[in-house]
Amino acid sequence: MIWDWDWTLQILPDLLTQGLLVTVQATLGGAVLAFVLGLFLALLRRSRRAYISRPVGAVTEFIRSTPLLVQLFVVYYVLPDFGVSMTALTTGIIGLGVHYACYTAEVYRAGIDGVPKGQWEAAVALNLPRHWIWLSVVLPQAVRRSLPALGNYLVAIFKESPQLSVITVVDVMGLARELGSERFRYLEPITIAGLFFLLIAIPASILIRRMERRLDH
Amino acid sequence: MTTINPCSAELPGTLGEAMPFLCRGAVVTLQSTLGGSVLAIAIALVVGLMASSRLRSVRGVARVYMEFFRGTSVLVQLFWLFYAMPILTGYQFDKVAAGILALGLNLGAYGSEVVRGAVQAVPPAQREAAIALNFTPYQRMRHVILPQAFVAMVPPMNNLLIELLKTTSLLSVITVADLAYQGRLLVNSGSDQLIVFALMLVIYFLFSYLITLLMRFVEGRAGRLVGRERPRRRRSAPAVEGAR
Amino acid sequence: MTTETQPGNASPAEADPQWMIRFDKVVKRFGDVTVLRELDFHVRPGERVTLIGPSGSGKTTILRLLMTLERVTSGTIEVDGQYLSHMRRGDRLVPADERHLRQVRKKVGMVFQQFNLFPNMNVLRNITEAPVRALGVPRDQAEAKARELLEMVELADKADEHPSRLSGGQQQRVAIARALAMEPEVLLLDEVTSALDPELVSGVQCLLRDIAQQGNLTLLCVTHEMRFARDISDRVLMFDQGQIVEEGDPEQIFTEPTHQRTRDFLQAVLGA
Ligand SMILES: Nc1ncnc2c1ncn2[C@@H]1O[C@H](COP(=O)(O)OP(=O)(O)OP(=O)(O)O)[C@@H](O)[C@H]1O
Ligand SMILES: [Mg+2]
């Protein structure tokens, strides 16, 4: 038998507790950062002042056009030079969060554009203050429209989180690599890691598709 | 005026130190992007058409493939192909081959969804008109549906190819000497981090831009094919995860 | 689509030259909705028939069945003596396969309400593509024929134009030329002028009237334009709820309909 069941049973608990915990932290941390920062980026992007909206647009486009891995390197290697010291996990969360904020910014932007013009006009006609219109009329609708796409990005962040293992984060993938390198035998740990991602990502995507259909109707 | 070779070691300071290596890495990055793209597009066409089939079983096979490769991350797939599979099958891929295969299989799964969506988006009336003119099922697809679907495929494919370019950076993890690998090597051997990372990011950005220019050209040609006057000048909403 | 019942053992009179189109107890259901109820009707070769009737009465469904875009739920349809959605295997009738369908489709052409020109081909290609691909006509021969047809529909100068640059009326005339290029024996017209701007309607109608009067094409036409129906048809069938309510020559149907349903319908349509 090629597959080593004894070893599988030996490493499985660690992968599913220690590794999973870190993966979940990275995913949720990255997602929260991405969802919040993305909203700010979207608002800045829509600013009527070109000296704000243009640079923000350029930077988000730049970040979307370059690899997450290299951006993780930047945060991991460069920030300490400026006296910022963080754990690898925090570094990873910042990297993931900023990278995906540039994607969610586009999602929010589409959501805001999708709010019917009549809503604005109605609010203006009621003489509501501008910031109030944004907070109570436009953003709630925009965020609601954005939910399915944000859900997809949550899954995407989950699936990309193994990249953090490259900057020494010990998530499911990091742990699997560590275990594999101890015996120089990767078959079991990597297969388990892969199955683990499949088992979470597929139901999650199906759930999001459902949600999307519900919001459509 | 003399032209300056951007890859020359004669450049001043860190530039001269880094650029020869980064250029070598950039070539590997381009090669893997090209290889991965060809494979991904081929897979996307085949599996995407299978996913549009009228036969349930054929659709099912396509669906399983797509869900499987979209369900795990590329890094895991890459590791599995390179480190785990040899134990199982006894066959060891060359690392570039493993990389290109992982890129193609993964992005091909996303591409299949693009192809399926575009085929589905061609109005059913076009298919019916083709039936009324007695085309065979193959002719309907080849001469009526696909040419029309092609236009709709280009903008999301643009996004996918940029994702693919970015994903090639993961090949550095299995020690393929691409741009990300060379950059990290330089940093580890003491070159100025800020400059090296900035150069890497700029080179990746330029490549992304190149892909967009190329795809705009393709879109323009494809658009004229179906009589659309001006192609839309906008990169549509970002890629991989949006393409469901 | 399932085929529930097959007419049985007594072999029906096949290849009866008397009928170009023959509906025999045709039932068509979409889910729970029964659109055609045991419909029987026959059309002679070269006959020109107009179908009228209220919206949802199944007129389009009849044409789509003839074009094999839908399959019957039960009953049989014959075109020029050949079963449409069935074929013979031994002495049983089984649902037709793609080869059989392509064989019988040769005899039928259709012009759609929304034209449905192929946007990825210019006007000439729209007309030549099917003869070249489906019938294997040499391309130069197909092109010569296409130019003749374009001449007839008065669009000879638009051969290299893209369909989207033509007006609705011009597009519909190209669609007519495209259908004729396949030299069908039966031409199906489904409200071919109802998507057109009012000023473009008469051009297309005149063209169709000429076509109807020239050839020995069998025409099956759905229209809400009573004058047009009168101009081009020998016989009018009034449908309601998947059944023929009344039939007769156009003059009789339009001036002295016998059935109340027909009278109500005509009143509503003609606004008389
Ligand atoms: N694909 C389908 N699925 C379900 N119901 C259908 C389908 N096609 C047609 N129907 C139903 O069949 C009935 C007849 O439709 P049909 O299009 O033949 O009517 P029609 O006589 O052409 O009407 P109109 O004058 O409005 O064009 C309608 O009730 C319609 O809703
Ligand atoms: Mg109709």
Side-chain angles (χ1 to χ4, degrees):
Chain A
M1 184 88 183
I2 303 174
W3 182 273
D4 185 343
W5 280 106
D6 289 342
W7 193 37
T8 305
L9 292 177
Q10 195 184 324
I11 60 178
L12 200 58
D14 278 353
L15 281 170
L16 289 187
T17 53
Q18 214 182 313
L20 177 61
L21 185 69
V22 176
T23 293
V24 168
Q25 282 173 333
T27 304
L28 292 184
V32 168
L33 182 57
F35 293 172
V36 175
L37 183 61
L39 185 56
F40 280 104
L41 289 175
L43 291 176
L44 290 176
R45 186 81 178 76
R46 284 193 58 99
S47 165
R48 278 179 293 186
R49 300 187 185 88
Y51 63 84
I52 296 178
S53 63
R54 287 274 181 74
V56 169
V59 168
T60 51
E61 175 79 31
F62 188 82
I63 292 181
R64 275 193 277 122
S65 304
T66 51
L68 171 64
L69 186 69
V70 180
Q71 290 161 14
L72 286 173
F73 287 163
V74 173
V75 186
Y76 187 70
Y77 286 95
V78 178
L79 282 192
D81 283 4
F82 292 88
V84 189
S85 69
M86 294 175 297
T87 64
L89 178 60
T90 316
T91 309
I93 289 177
I94 291 178
L96 268 177
V98 171
H99 187 79
Y100 276 97
C102 298
Y103 283 92
T104 56
E106 287 292 305
V107 171
Y108 288 122
R109 198 153 75 105
I112 293 169
D113 288 344
V115 174
K117 230 176 142 213
Q119 294 286 312
W120 265 104
E121 287 164 1
V124 172
L126 291 171
N127 206 13
L128 295 171
R130 210 181 133 71
H131 69 271
W132 189 251
I133 300 179
W134 272 105
L135 279 179
S136 67
V137 180
V138 177
L139 284 185
Q141 294 187 45
V143 171
R144 194 183 132 82
R145 280 161 191 278
S146 311
L147 282 181
L150 292 181
N152 279 320
Y153 279 115
L154 177 64
V155 179
I157 291 171
F158 172 68
K159 284 186 294 191
E160 294 300 286
S161 69
Q163 289 191 37
L164 303 199
S165 68
V166 180
I167 56 164
T168 72
V169 174
V170 190
D171 64 339
V172 172
M173 184 64 181
L175 192 58
R177 289 174 63 180
E178 229 168 60
L179 291 166
S181 65
E182 275 167 16
R183 297 197 182 186
F184 211 75
R185 182 180 167 90
Y186 284 94
L187 176 62
E188 290 83 3
I190 296 292
T191 307
I192 293 172
L195 286 177
F196 162 78
F197 278 97
L198 268 181
L199 285 181
I200 296 186
I202 291 180
S205 325
I206 292 173
L207 216 74
I208 290 162
R209 250 173 268 165
R210 288 245 176 91
M211 176 167 105
E212 198 168 29
R213 241 170 269 149
R214 273 237 315 272
L215 280 182
D216 272 355
H217 298 308
Chain B
M1 215 180 85
T2 56
T3 51
I4 303 164
N5 177 4
C7 296
S8 159
E10 321 275 280
L11 294 167
T14 311
L15 276 183
E17 195 179 300
M19 283 314 285
F21 291 98
L22 293 184
C23 284
R24 228 175 295 159
V27 171
V28 175
T29 292
L30 272 189
Q31 286 166 342
S32 356
T33 306
L34 199 69
S37 303
V38 170
L39 185 59
I41 290 174
I43 290 177
L45 274 177
V46 173
V47 178
L49 288 183
M50 285 171 66
S52 332
S53 165
R54 265 175 306 166
L55 298 177
R56 226 190 143 93
S57 54
V58 176
R59 276 205 311 271
V61 171
R63 213 61 267 167
V64 167
Y65 170 81
M66 287 155 72
E67 294 294 346
F68 183 83
F69 280 95
R70 291 188 306 170
T72 47
S73 52
V74 201
L75 189 61
V76 180
Q77 288 160 13
L78 184 61
F79 253 77
W80 200 89
L81 277 177
F82 192 60
Y83 290 117
M85 199 198 68
I87 304 178
L88 215 54
T89 63
Y91 182 78
Q92 172 73 61
F93 278 114
D94 164 63
K95 55 195 172 187
V96 177
I100 288 178
L101 192 60
L103 289 171
L105 287 171
N106 184 272
L107 274 297
Y110 288 96
S112 310
E113 189 61 50
V114 169
V115 171
R116 190 197 64 85
V119 165
Q120 220 84 327
V122 174
Q126 288 291 317
R127 188 177 150 264
E128 294 183 347
I131 293 178
L133 290 168
N134 218 354
F135 284 93
T136 63
Y138 168 78
Q139 290 168 339
R140 278 176 230 152
M141 189 46 91
R142 170 67 188 78
H143 299 288
V144 177
I145 312 280
L146 263 190
Q148 295 181 46
F150 185 66
V151 196
M153 287 178 208
V154 179
M157 279 293 179
N158 181 14
N159 290 325
L160 276 186
L161 292 184
I162 289 174
E163 291 301 321
L164 193 144
L165 164 72
K166 289 159 59 183
T167 309
T168 57
S169 66
L170 295 183
L171 304 203
S172 68
V173 181
I174 58 164
T175 70
V176 172
D178 73 338
L179 186 51
Y181 185 84
Q182 296 283 11
R184 202 167 174 214
L185 219 57
L186 282 164
V187 169
N188 283 340
S189 56
S191 293
D192 188 324
Q193 297 180 357
L194 264 183
I195 296 183
V196 171
F197 285 135
L199 287 173
M200 284 163 74
L201 289 172
V202 167
I203 296 174
Y204 274 115
F205 180 76
L206 288 179
F207 285 172
S208 292
Y209 192 62
L210 194 73
I211 292 176
T212 302
L213 286 183
L214 217 76
M215 293 303 274
R216 268 191 202 156
F217 174 75
V218 173
E219 191 185 1
R221 296 300 291 268
R224 240 167 296 144
L225 190 78
V226 298
R228 196 192 284 157
E229 295 284 309
R230 286 164 284 117
R232 282 163 303 142
R233 277 278 137 150
R234 202 173 50 83
R235 212 178 122 188
S236 61
V240 172
E241 329 312 332
R244 269 156 291 107
Chain C
M1 308 288 114
T2 53
T3 308
E4 284 174 356
T5 60
Q6 314 292 338
N9 14 20
S11 120
E14 220 183 332
D16 187 345
Q18 205 184 342
W19 306 118
M20 181 56 91
I21 299 172
R22 199 173 132 137
F23 274 56
D24 188 19
K25 294 205 176 52
V26 170
V27 174
K28 176 64 188 171
R29 275 197 286 270
F30 291 106
D32 298 338
V33 189
T34 303
V35 180
L36 304 180
R37 306 161 200 273
E38 306 223 331
L39 179 67
D40 289 308
F41 81 92
H42 304 179
V43 177
R44 275 190 302 279
E47 197 181 11
R48 294 157 301 180
V49 175
T50 293
L51 311 180
I52 62 171
S55 183
S57 57
K59 307 180 297 290
T60 297
T61 304
I62 290 171
L63 300 197
R64 288 174 58 85
L65 282 168
L66 277 165
M67 196 63 258
T68 64
L69 297 173
E70 306 279 359
R71 287 196 171 198
V72 294
T73 309
S74 68
T76 53
I77 302 173
E78 284 167 49
V79 172
D80 199 14
Q82 260 184 313
Y83 284 116
L84 204 55
S85 46
H86 300 90
M87 54 187 195
R88 278 181 178 288
R89 183 166 297 152
D91 37 327
R92 268 166 40 88
L93 285 181
V94 295
D97 60 12
E98 180 69 25
R99 246 187 62 209
H100 179 85
L101 287 177
R102 294 209 342 113
Q103 177 61 31
V104 286
R105 264 182 216 140
K106 265 189 202 161
K107 304 197 163 110
V108 187
M110 183 163 184
V111 181
F112 298 85
Q113 190 174 356
Q114 298 292 344
F115 335 134
N116 299 348
L117 293 181
F118 300 131
N120 55 318
M121 305 172 192
N122 67 16
V123 166
L124 192 69
R125 275 297 269 266
N126 257 284
I127 301 173
T128 56
E129 201 69 2
V132 171
R133 305 250 177 233
L135 300 180
V137 177
R139 188 166 284 283
D140 51 347
Q141 210 171 311
E143 279 186 11
K145 176 85 189 293
R147 287 187 194 282
E148 239 168 72
L149 285 165
L150 280 173
E151 197 80 49
M152 181 188 82
V153 301
E154 294 171 4
L155 289 172
D157 52 331
K158 302 287 188 195
D160 301 319
E161 204 66 82
H162 190 275
S164 66
R165 302 179 56 116
L166 303 183
S167 75
Q170 290 170 331
Q171 288 188 46
Q172 194 59 299
R173 282 186 274 155
V174 173
I176 292 167
R178 183 175 73 169
L180 292 177
M182 294 295 281
E183 302 186 338
E185 293 177 38
V186 178
L187 187 63
L188 309 172
L189 306 168
D190 190 6
E191 301 190 40
V192 290
T193 57
S194 62
L196 299 180
D197 291 338
E199 74 270 22
L200 301 176
V201 169
S202 69
V204 172
Q205 288 183 345
C206 286
L207 171 65
L208 287 171
R209 204 170 45 216
D210 291 347
I211 291 169
Q213 275 155 13
Q214 280 168 20
N216 43 3
L217 207 56
T218 307
L219 265 185
L220 207 55
C221 167
V222 173
T223 181
H224 287 307
E225 312 260 342
M226 293 309 150
R227 201 155 39 87
F228 177 56
R230 214 180 320 196
D231 284 351
I232 70 161
S233 49
D234 312 318
R235 183 153 64 108
V236 175
L237 302 182
M238 164 75 194
F239 277 88
D240 192 24
Q241 300 182 339
Q243 282 277 318
I244 297 173
V245 179
E246 181 169 2
E247 66 178 294
D249 70 71
E251 217 44 53
Q252 182 254 310
I253 296 269
F254 289 125
T255 52
E256 42 194 328
T258 47
H259 277 258
Q260 189 56 37
R261 279 298 298 141
T262 318
R263 257 177 255 142
D264 295 346
F265 171 69
L266 289 175
Q267 189 137 45
V269 176
L270 302 173

